[in-house]
Amino acid sequence: MESLCIVGNGGVSTCQAFTRLDTRVGFRPRAQLGFGCFVRERYKYGNLVIARSGRSEVGNSKDGNFAVENEKEEKRGGLILGPEMDSSGSVIGFNLIPPSGDGEVLESHEDATTGGTEEAEDIEGVEKVKTRVTYNIVFVTSEAAPYSKTGGLGDVCGSLPIVLAARGHRVMVVSPRYLHGSPADKNFAGASELDCHTKVYCFGGEQEVAFFHEYREGVDWVFVDHPSYHRPGNPYGDSRGAFGDNQFRFALLCHAACEAPLVLPLGGYTYGEKCLFLVNDWHAGLVPVLLASKYRPYGVYKDARTILVIHNLAHQGVEPAATYTNLGLPSEWYGALGWVFPTWARTHALDTGEAVNLLKGAIVTVDRILTVSKGYAWEITTVEGGYGLHELLSSRRSVLNGITNGIDIYEWNPSSDKHIASNYSVDDLSGKVQCKIALQKELGLPIKPDCPLIGFIGRLDYQKGIDLIRWAIPELLEDDVQFVMLGSGDPLYEDWMRATESTYKDKFRGWVGFNIPISHKITAGADILLMPSRFEPCGLNQLYAMRYGTVPVVHGTGGLRDTVQAFDPYSKGGLGEGTGWIFSPLSKESMLAALRVAMMTYRDHKSSWEGIMKRGMAKDSTWENAAVHYEQVFEWAFIDPPYIK
């Protein structure tokens, strides 16, 4: 019991006995030898819960304990008790406010989850303000741009940590140090080796790993070094397919990531045990299982929390059941990872279908689950989109959310993009037609500024709906239209692009491979961007396109449905609203119908088309906007106790 002084409106102070519920400490950005922090204390008197917050100077010792000096708070004296109300005007709690008004006020009412909600929770309406609670955040990922990148995962783990660090969190990113013997190796040139090697036990023995570190843009970039990461190819495989030892390589990453906050004195201080781990896809899926099975039973990481971010559920890290003993987990934890393939997916009649599934283990043991769009959060709970994990994910629906990815608005900015022929903005669109003409010239197409130019940028595989484009091209190119494609992947589709270009020399161009300047030029020069993906967890190209005033025509799935608003010419008194077209079902006929309506609008309704362009360009797709929603989930993660078997 403690005595807490409350000052009423009349200046009369009373002291009551309150029961301390908890004290929470969070970091602000690092200073030279210590951290500024916020101290949040909650007290209870009867049914009343109140909170006070103050500032302290904190030093974090190597074992993660905090030393708090709160002299300023003691000198401040009385606190004013002010009511907090919801949107209906009902009092839902109280805040203790310093008389000077310069202190930070934290919510005083009890945090609560929505419990048995039937759908993934909506995080709309979160106010975009400086974060009020800071955390020690550890991203664990197989790739992070600009050091390593094969797709959207690298973009997310290269951008979101920087934004969170700028908002006051202490952020570490743990990823492998890939050396492929290529020019990309220079990306790690700024990282220096730490005088800290650690040994982890897995795959039948001790494995020694080293750590490299670079402090850049407020983030600790930590790279796990081991000979298994030094080989030609990409992070996952080479021209002959996926590497056969990927389970070993990423299990090693997970073991090392669990040790990093405890042993690496970054900036003179370890991150300590009270961390928030953001584990990305199956490659990092072993982290929450390790925390629950090997650390927490012995009092380590008992206050840590884990959040799984699913970027693509189709990849789950499934290996034969016999490999479980290699993972360094106690034998009694097999059930968390155990997986049985359905009968139709087994290779022969004697195949029992038994396997271990690293992503399943993460779903079972994490505190919260995120996907990269709200639509995808719902899709993975369905039979069609769950890839065999839909029932498990449905059982965890109360902790499942979707947050749409942001984009790098500095790299993708039509007013300053160095890759395009002419810069332009939402206030002056005159440069966009110049970009179109320059693209037509560079690709050898006839210069026709008024001809609709459709673009496609992406992998040439089944997921991206390339087969639909292939079937639709002969019928589509009967019209006065030009079509440009950029991508690589399935050799069948690469050969088809080359053959189609020779057949339709004045209407079609296919660029096999990937080229960053060309992707910017197509995004700026095209009138329409086509994305007929079968499933799309988030999708970034439609966000880039809208920022450049290029109108997306997309299949209504996942993040595409979330981010593109269907054009309605009759809303708002005939002014119209919407940023593109959405077609469904996924068929050649519905795709062609949407494209024809878009082309008709482009040709015959210029004012409506300009409105669509400007609404897309004005859309807020920044990482700062996404970070606010992430912070709300961080707070929810710490409401409930961590996973304990």
Side-chain angles (χ1 to χ4, degrees):
M1 303 288 284
E2 296 189 17
S3 180
L4 196 62
C5 188
I6 302 175
V7 181
N9 291 336
V12 180
S13 64
T14 61
C15 293
Q16 300 288 352
F18 285 80
T19 301
R20 184 195 297 267
L21 293 178
D22 57 34
T23 300
R24 298 185 183 179
V25 180
F27 288 110
R28 292 181 310 189
R30 77 177 67 190
Q32 292 179 353
L33 295 176
F35 299 91
C37 80
F38 302 114
V39 180
R40 178 187 183 186
E41 297 175 338
R42 299 194 306 166
Y43 298 84
K44 187 170 184 179
Y45 177 67
N47 292 325
L48 173 66
V49 177
I50 56 181
R52 72 173 182 178
S53 61
R55 299 177 183 270
S56 299
E57 294 303 318
V58 177
N60 188 6
S61 65
K62 190 170 183 178
D63 61 2
N65 294 325
F66 299 129
V68 180
E69 299 174 2
N70 202 8
E71 296 176 0
K72 293 182 181 179
E73 187 67 38
E74 293 176 1
K75 294 178 181 178
R76 186 173 289 165
L79 300 172
I80 299 172
L81 182 63
E84 182 178 352
M85 300 182 181
D86 62 13
S87 58
S88 66
S90 301
V91 176
I92 58 174
F94 294 89
N95 289 316
L96 289 175
I97 308 172
S100 63
D102 59 358
E104 299 202 6
V105 180
L106 298 180
E107 288 183 9
S108 58
H109 54 284
E110 293 275 19
D111 295 323
T113 59
T114 57
T117 178
E118 285 301 314
E119 296 186 63
E121 300 166 36
D122 196 327
I123 323 173
E124 289 291 345
V126 180
E127 195 174 343
K128 190 174 182 180
V129 294
K130 189 72 174 177
T131 185
R132 56 182 184 168
V133 182
T134 56
Y135 302 95
N136 288 354
I137 302 171
V138 180
F139 282 77
V140 187
T141 175
S142 60
E143 55 184 271
Y147 306 100
S148 54
K149 174 187 170 182
T150 63
L153 172 60
D155 287 322
V156 173
C157 295
S159 300
L160 179 58
I162 295 172
V163 175
L164 290 172
R167 292 179 62 81
H169 304 279
R170 192 182 184 198
V171 184
M172 177 198 303
V173 178
V174 183
S175 182
R177 181 173 177 260
Y178 300 110
L179 296 179
H180 302 306
S182 68
D185 293 352
K186 70 179 184 298
N187 293 333
F188 296 96
S192 56
E193 185 172 6
L194 298 174
D195 187 21
C196 182
H197 290 216
T198 189
K199 293 181 179 179
V200 298
Y201 184 85
C202 62
F203 281 76
E206 285 186 342
Q207 314 293 336
E208 183 174 343
V209 297
F211 295 98
F212 283 69
H213 172 247
E214 179 179 4
Y215 183 72
R216 180 178 63 82
E217 296 192 69
V219 177
D220 289 303
W221 304 89
V222 174
F223 305 105
V224 179
D225 193 53
H226 187 270
S228 64
Y229 303 131
H230 305 167
R231 61 182 63 163
N234 63 49
Y236 314 112
D238 55 22
S239 58
R240 293 182 291 273
F243 295 133
D245 61 346
N246 275 344
Q247 187 190 58
F248 168 75
R249 299 167 74 232
F250 295 117
L252 199 63
L253 170 67
C254 295
H255 280 273
C258 291
E259 290 293 307
L262 304 176
V263 303
L264 300 183
L266 306 178
Y269 299 87
T270 65
Y271 274 58
E273 297 179 21
K274 191 171 182 179
C275 290
L276 176 63
F277 287 88
L278 261 68
V279 299
N280 294 269
D281 279 347
W282 76 264
H283 319 93
L286 205 57
V287 169
V289 186
L290 287 169
L291 296 187
S293 64
K294 297 194 70 174
Y295 289 88
R296 210 165 278 143
Y298 303 99
V300 184
Y301 285 130
K302 60 183 183 299
D303 294 321
R305 298 294 189 275
T306 54
I307 297 175
L308 170 66
V309 185
I310 299 175
H311 301 262
N312 192 337
L313 190 66
H315 305 289
Q316 300 178 8
V318 179
E319 296 286 351
T323 63
Y324 176 81
T325 56
N326 295 332
L327 300 177
L329 296 171
S331 58
E332 62 268 22
W333 280 79
Y334 175 82
L337 282 72
W339 171 258
V340 179
F341 279 101
T343 305
W344 60 265
R346 300 176 191 178
T347 55
H348 52 78
L350 299 179
D351 184 0
T352 61
E354 295 181 359
V356 290
N357 186 322
L358 297 189
L359 188 62
K360 181 214 169 186
I363 294 171
V364 169
T365 54
V366 291
D367 299 298
R368 296 200 72 91
I369 304 168
L370 283 173
T371 67
V372 290
S373 69
K374 295 186 183 72
Y376 196 56
W378 170 79
E379 285 182 7
I380 63 175
T381 64
T382 66
V383 175
E384 295 82 2
Y387 288 89
L389 293 174
H390 55 282
E391 292 183 355
L392 176 60
L393 287 163
S394 295
S395 72
R396 303 221 64 194
R397 190 176 289 162
S398 62
V399 297
L400 172 63
N401 300 103
I403 301 176
T404 302
N405 285 340
I407 61 174
D408 186 338
I409 61 172
Y410 303 104
E411 178 185 359
W412 294 91
N413 186 350
S415 64
S416 60
D417 193 333
K418 297 179 181 179
H419 297 301
I420 63 178
S422 179
N423 296 125
Y424 57 96
S425 67
V426 68
D427 299 317
D428 181 9
L429 295 171
S430 58
K432 185 165 176 62
V433 68
Q434 299 304 318
C435 292
K436 180 177 182 177
I437 292 172
L439 179 65
Q440 290 171 330
K441 284 182 179 178
E442 182 168 353
L443 298 181
L445 288 168
I447 308 303
K448 302 172 68 175
D450 295 326
C451 173
L453 176 57
I454 302 172
F456 171 90
I457 303 171
R459 293 194 315 275
L460 305 180
D461 62 22
Y462 183 75
Q463 178 204 335
K464 299 298 182 180
I466 303 300
D467 52 328
L468 263 71
I469 297 177
R470 182 185 179 189
W471 297 333
I473 279 293
E475 190 172 342
L476 177 65
L477 295 186
E478 290 176 1
D479 202 346
D480 183 21
V481 63
Q482 294 176 340
F483 202 109
V484 176
M485 296 182 68
L486 170 66
S488 62
D490 190 329
L492 172 68
Y493 294 123
E494 291 181 355
D495 293 340
W496 166 78
M497 281 172 54
R498 297 184 183 99
T500 304
E501 181 174 324
S502 63
T503 303
Y504 301 95
K505 295 181 180 180
D506 292 337
K507 293 189 174 185
F508 184 92
R509 288 294 181 271
W511 187 298
V512 176
F514 187 75
N515 183 292
I516 290 177
I518 290 295
S519 69
H520 282 248
K521 291 174 182 179
I522 293 175
T523 302
D527 301 302
I528 298 168
L529 184 81
L530 178 62
M531 293 186 69
S533 303
R534 280 181 163 76
F535 69 92
E536 196 67 67
C538 177
L540 294 176
N541 286 331
Q542 82 279 11
L543 300 177
Y544 299 150
M546 288 187 285
R547 181 148 174 82
Y548 279 65
T550 300
V551 177
V553 175
V554 303
H555 174 225
T557 183
L560 300 180
R561 184 175 55 231
D562 288 351
T563 55
V564 178
Q565 181 184 8
F567 174 57
D568 180 359
Y570 303 108
S571 64
K572 295 186 177 180
L575 296 176
E577 64 178 354
T579 58
W581 278 268
I582 302 173
F583 65 87
S584 187
L586 184 67
S587 66
K588 181 188 78 171
E589 291 73 23
S590 60
M591 183 182 76
L592 284 173
L595 284 171
R596 285 168 178 148
V597 172
M599 291 188 293
M600 181 268 293
T601 305
Y602 171 81
R603 291 191 184 102
D604 302 335
H605 304 279
K606 293 295 186 183
S607 61
S608 294
W609 189 264
E610 184 173 321
I612 299 171
M613 293 170 62
K614 289 186 173 182
R615 284 189 292 272
M617 296 179 76
K619 189 178 177 67
D620 183 1
S621 298
T622 63
W623 272 114
E624 285 76 10
N625 183 46
V628 177
H629 300 321
Y630 269 89
E631 288 170 344
Q632 177 63 77
V633 177
F634 296 166
E635 291 193 38
W636 289 340
F638 279 91
I639 290 175
D640 297 321
Y643 179 88
I644 298 176
K645 186 174 179 179

